Amino acid sequence: MCGIIPGIFVAFFIFVSMKKNILLAVCFVLPLSIAFAQKPEEAPLDRQERMQWFQDAKLGIFIHWGIYSVYGIDESWSFYNNMISYEDYMEQRKGFTAKNYDPDAWAELFKESGAKYAVLTTKHHDGMALWPTKYNDLNVVKSTPAGKDLVTPFVNSIRKAGLKAGLYFSILDWSHQDYPEFTRTVKKYKDDPKRFASFVDFYSGQLNELNNLFKPDLFWFDGDWSYDEKAFQTDMVKARLYKDNPDLICNSRLRGGDYGTPEQGLPLTAPKEDYWELCMTINNSWGYQPNDKKYKSAAKIISIFADVISLGGNLLLDVGPMEDGTIPEKQVEVLKELGRWTKKHETAIYESLPGIPRTHFNGPSTLSKDSTILYLFFDYMPNEDIVLKGVKNKINRIWVVGNGTKLKYEVFMKAYWSQVPGLVYIQVPDEVLDPEMTVLAVLLDGKIDLYGEAGQVIESN
Ligand code: H79
């Protein structure tokens, strides 16, 4: 009896506090989750759908083309860093002809390289627009002998070749009277929000112009480091872009955006963003610089590309055409070599998922979209059999991608009483090696299942 009364009290207390929790859930958590679910512009499915082609594409070509190709000097930075006067830099206008511009040939070359999208500099920090903007005369139509719109034919040819069209646009403009900075040492004005607001009208006007003229698949913004998002009114500008072009993808450099943009530096672990793209020069320069002979070989680019897709990223490889529109021979050569490799290994590249940790395979890897085929990449001549560790699945078959040769493999160190998977040694004869990077396909009996993923660690028995 003594036990029953306190028992009733406890039961009542539990009941009340449960009700309190339910009440809490109804009053607070439920409306919150409804609010999140109803926020249309942030709906995760929408973003995922919008990003799908980008995630599957893996390779894009970046094109830095502007008046800086006339002298072959740094794009915009050469005058900003006082290596040449602004007047002398702008003299290059007179030599920019675009007379051999053949965007169909560009598009075919990019396609041959294996790229699925291309991004053209419509305006770099120097303010020279490659399309006939109605906002000022600083464009190639009005200010250079080229005398024609270069963006329309680009977008048309790129799309005709079946690639997605991206437009690079620097949101700053060192030539504009209302942008505060002129060079590293000379500023036009300080602390004048009204004047900056008039610059915002200008840059957002140009962006809306580009967006409505071309409905780009992607905007690649640059130059957002010097002023904050409030000054640039990035939220307002971006909302308008998405409204007019709902399928648009924006990089991260108008603050926020859809994907991260590491520049030149190769990430060694996956960046924190859901989607990302490494942009990288083919030699050491973004634009055409004949003096820069430090080209990366096709083999180096392929190896970097494999590292990037192994971590789930894209590579945006840059070329710098000459003032007449010719892509330098050496760059064409590298793109074609890259194309030989991407075509041969397309099943391991496009639409793939990030691969497995290097503790399991000592090199880059990817997975088929359904995670039942593991692709292993290596760019050396193996001294021993290639080894794969800690895979719990049964292996159905292993072959050489782009060649089809079935390979022999043997499992070692598999103890019948242990959960630890054996080591899979794959025999790779010299004849099947690719001159740049060999890829093996490992067909599993189902979705890949790695030992150690659920907190298990292979230590000792
Ligand atoms: O178009 C190519 C480059 O010209 C452009 N992005 C690629 C695609 C680029 N603009 N800026 N940067 C690359 C990096 C600039 C870094 C710095 Fe700075 C500018 C270092 C010093 C001045 C930003 C501001 C970081 C520190 C201060």
Side-chain angles (χ1 to χ4, degrees), residues 288-325:
Y288 172 63
Q289 297 206 22
N291 203 34
D292 177 0
K293 306 260 195 283
K294 203 174 169 194
Y295 277 92
K296 297 171 190 79
S297 63
K300 286 193 175 68
I301 290 170
I302 289 165
S303 161
I304 293 166
F305 180 46
D307 279 343
V308 165
I309 60 175
S310 179
L311 292 175
N314 285 6
L315 178 69
L316 186 64
L317 179 64
D318 179 75
V319 297
M322 302 177 198
E323 62 77 20
D324 67 352

Side-chain angles (χ1 to χ4, degrees), residues 3 32 36 61 93 157 186 207 209 215 240 255 270 272 275 277 310 328 337 343 345 353 366 376 385 402 439 449 456:
L32 245 177
F36 274 112
I61 299 293
R93 288 191 289 191
S157 298
V186 181
L207 264 181
E209 191 182 33
K215 293 278 184 267
R240 174 77 193 267
R255 304 294 153 98
K272 62 182 187 312
Y275 307 94
E277 169 202 71
S310 179
E337 276 182 69
K343 190 159 179 30
H345 301 104
L353 301 179
T366 59
L376 308 174
D385 298 342
V439 185
D449 190 7
Q456 296 163 304

Side-chain angles (χ1 to χ4, degrees), residues 62 64 75 77 80 121 124-125 168 184 220 222-223 225 253 263 279 286:
F62 213 174
H64 272 68
E75 67 289 347
W77 292 100
Y80 182 83
T121 47
H124 205 262
H125 315 330
Y168 167 107
R184 184 172 292 283
W220 211 102
D222 202 1
W225 61 79
R253 299 192 185 180
E263 180 166 327
C279 62
W286 294 103

Side-chain angles (χ1 to χ4, degrees), residues 208-283:
N208 290 329
E209 191 182 33
L210 280 173
N211 199 32
N212 292 320
L213 278 171
F214 304 111
K215 293 278 184 267
D217 298 296
L218 183 153
F219 263 125
W220 211 102
F221 303 111
D222 202 1
D224 69 338
W225 61 79
S226 47
Y227 293 89
D228 64 15
E229 55 221 83
K230 237 178 104 201
F232 272 115
Q233 300 199 36
T234 57
D235 285 352
M236 183 266 293
V237 172
K238 255 196 304 206
R240 174 77 193 267
L241 295 178
Y242 285 121
K243 182 171 174 285
D244 292 349
N245 187 6
D247 294 333
L248 180 67
I249 290 177
C250 292
N251 78 345
S252 57
R253 299 192 185 180
L254 193 57
R255 304 294 153 98
D258 296 311
Y259 70 92
T261 53
E263 180 166 327
Q264 301 283 30
L266 174 69
L268 301 182
T269 54
K272 62 182 187 312
E273 292 93 346
D274 297 340
Y275 307 94
W276 61 277
E277 169 202 71
L278 169 70
C279 62
M280 181 180 89
T281 51
I282 205 164
N283 48 1

Side-chain angles (χ1 to χ4, degrees), residues 379-439:
D379 60 359
Y380 48 84
M381 213 171 187
N383 286 327
E384 237 298 350
D385 298 342
I386 291 285
V387 62
L388 178 62
K389 304 168 197 169
V391 174
K392 291 204 271 183
N393 306 70
K394 178 176 167 285
I395 290 170
N396 286 343
R397 186 182 297 159
I398 300 180
W399 69 93
V400 182
V401 176
N403 162 305
T405 305
K406 269 192 284 177
L407 298 182
K408 291 197 189 117
Y409 58 94
E410 279 184 291
V411 179
F412 286 79
M413 291 177 71
K414 177 70 196 118
Y416 74 89
W417 43 263
S418 166
Q419 291 295 308
V420 179
L423 304 182
V424 181
Y425 281 91
I426 309 165
Q427 296 167 23
V428 187
D430 288 353
E431 313 85 77
V432 302
L433 293 175
D434 183 86
E436 270 136 353
M437 190 167 229
T438 310
V439 185

